[in-house]
Amino acid sequence: MDLYEHQARELFARYGVLVPDAEVVDTPREARDAAERLGGRVVVKAQVKTGGRGKAGGVKLAVDPAAAELTARQILGMDIKGHTVRKVMLAQPVGIETEFYASYVLDRTVGRFLAIASAEGGMDIEEVAATRPDAVARIPVEPDEGVTAAKAAEIAAAAQLPPEAAPVLQQLWQVLTQEDALLVEVNPLVRTTDGRILALDGKVTVDDNARFRQARWGLMRPTSTRTRWKPRRRRRASTTSSSTARSASSATVRASSCRPWTWSPAAAPAPRTFSTSGEGRPPRSWPTACPSSSPTRR
């Protein structure tokens, strides 16, 4: 099950990862009120379970509460890759010095987790991975070992992340293991102008097979925003010939006019014993109360 960005941020904050203050709303008026509480200047972000929101126009900066209301009105109802935007998140903007990328994903081919990190995070991380794969570090993580302080330092060094990002890598590993996740991704993980390491955007996919021990997941399951395709209903073509249909119709009329059978102990025939000599053998066909309702084969 994929989580929305604001749900992923809640998990990050629970395990100590710093995230900007934010609120989630579903109307333009609520967006204005939330912007006032957050200081006026906010980033309005569409909440859909797909990537590419920024390039699709689903992430915009609003300079004041009035602009936040207008921006929310523009984004709500937008279609992004087949997903309808029904909620937006308003977050406090931060001064960004550098953007990074960090994630953990289950590598099913080898049965262990893979840490993927890069010093060049942001919207173009897929292009970076495709054109310059050496800029993206891929470090295997053994499940029984986990991400210790030494392992986190190894991942940070391989990806050329600042040393202060190593504790965040350990916290993200805790999100993965404690929440039974298959994917934990932060893009971008940023260093702010005042030296803090923050998760500005995140994605978490949890394993549905672990639902029995994650009771709060029921509270986290949102209404789907996937745009549903509704096929037109077609009239089913008849495969019955006209003569057979007439025979079936007339047989149904005859059957409906028959009186239903009634059974009583007095009317029941005495039990009969059948022998191999032929005496008492039942007739070839028992009499029926009304004509057969099945059409005659020709």
Side-chain angles (χ1 to χ4, degrees):
M1 177 177 70
D2 293 333
L3 302 185
Y4 286 100
E5 177 193 3
H6 66 89
Q7 295 171 327
R9 287 164 47 97
E10 292 175 8
L11 292 182
F12 296 161
R14 183 177 298 143
Y15 290 90
V17 179
L18 296 181
V19 295
D21 292 339
E23 293 189 29
V24 180
V25 300
D26 56 11
T27 67
R29 180 60 196 181
E30 291 177 348
R32 185 188 189 108
D33 296 340
E36 292 177 350
R37 290 189 294 269
L38 293 170
R41 190 167 181 264
V42 294
V43 179
V44 185
K45 308 179 74 175
Q47 295 298 284
V48 288
K49 297 179 179 180
T50 185
R53 294 174 302 165
K55 294 183 178 180
V59 179
K60 295 182 178 180
L61 177 66
V63 296
D64 55 38
E69 181 178 3
L70 177 61
T71 304
R73 183 174 286 109
Q74 295 171 347
I75 295 178
L76 288 169
M78 179 186 294
D79 183 276
I80 300 178
K81 296 183 179 180
H83 296 259
T84 302
V85 181
R86 296 194 175 97
K87 291 181 181 293
V88 294
M89 184 182 73
L90 286 76
Q92 289 182 333
V94 297
I96 300 175
E97 180 181 288
T98 314
E99 293 184 342
F100 313 114
Y101 174 89
S103 70
Y104 295 107
V105 63
L106 176 63
D107 188 351
R108 297 183 184 275
T109 58
V110 295
R112 60 188 177 188
F113 287 95
L114 190 65
I116 305 176
S118 174
E120 301 182 31
M123 292 191 299
D124 297 326
I125 184 61
E126 294 182 359
E127 181 180 350
V128 171
T131 58
R132 292 186 294 110
D134 56 328
V136 180
R138 295 171 173 83
I139 308 297
V141 179
E142 297 296 339
D144 55 348
E145 176 187 352
V147 178
T148 61
K151 192 69 175 182
E154 176 189 350
I155 297 170
Q160 298 182 3
L161 304 183
E164 55 267 30
V168 178
L169 297 176
Q170 288 185 274
Q171 293 163 342
L172 294 175
W173 177 257
Q174 290 298 312
V175 175
L176 182 87
T177 56
Q178 298 301 317
E179 299 297 328
D180 290 302
L182 301 175
L183 168 69
V184 171
E185 178 185 70
V186 179
N187 186 38
L189 179 70
V190 304
R191 179 168 57 190
T192 63
T193 53
D194 57 3
R196 296 178 298 163
I197 302 295
L198 271 69
L200 292 194
D201 196 349
K203 179 178 180 180
V204 174
T205 301
V206 293
D207 188 354
D208 283 335
N209 295 321
R211 183 174 296 277
F212 70 97
R213 63 185 176 199
Q214 299 287 0
R216 69 176 176 277
W217 285 3
L219 302 176
M220 298 177 66
R221 179 177 288 276
T223 303
S224 174
T225 61
R226 188 73 178 179
T227 303
R228 296 184 180 274
W229 175 73
K230 296 182 179 179
R232 294 182 178 179
R233 298 184 63 182
R234 296 182 178 179
R235 182 176 297 177
R236 189 174 181 178
S238 176
T239 57
T240 308
S241 64
S242 58
S243 60
T244 305
R246 286 195 298 270
S247 299
S249 176
S250 60
T252 303
V253 171
R254 291 196 305 271
S256 63
S257 63
C258 295
R259 296 178 59 188
W261 282 19
T262 57
W263 183 89
S264 65
R272 302 177 64 182
T273 304
F274 303 121
S275 64
T276 57
S277 62
E279 293 186 19
R281 180 175 297 171
R284 188 174 298 273
S285 62
W286 293 101
T288 57
C290 57
S292 173
S293 59
S294 58
T296 305
R297 293 184 179 179
R298 293 186 179 181

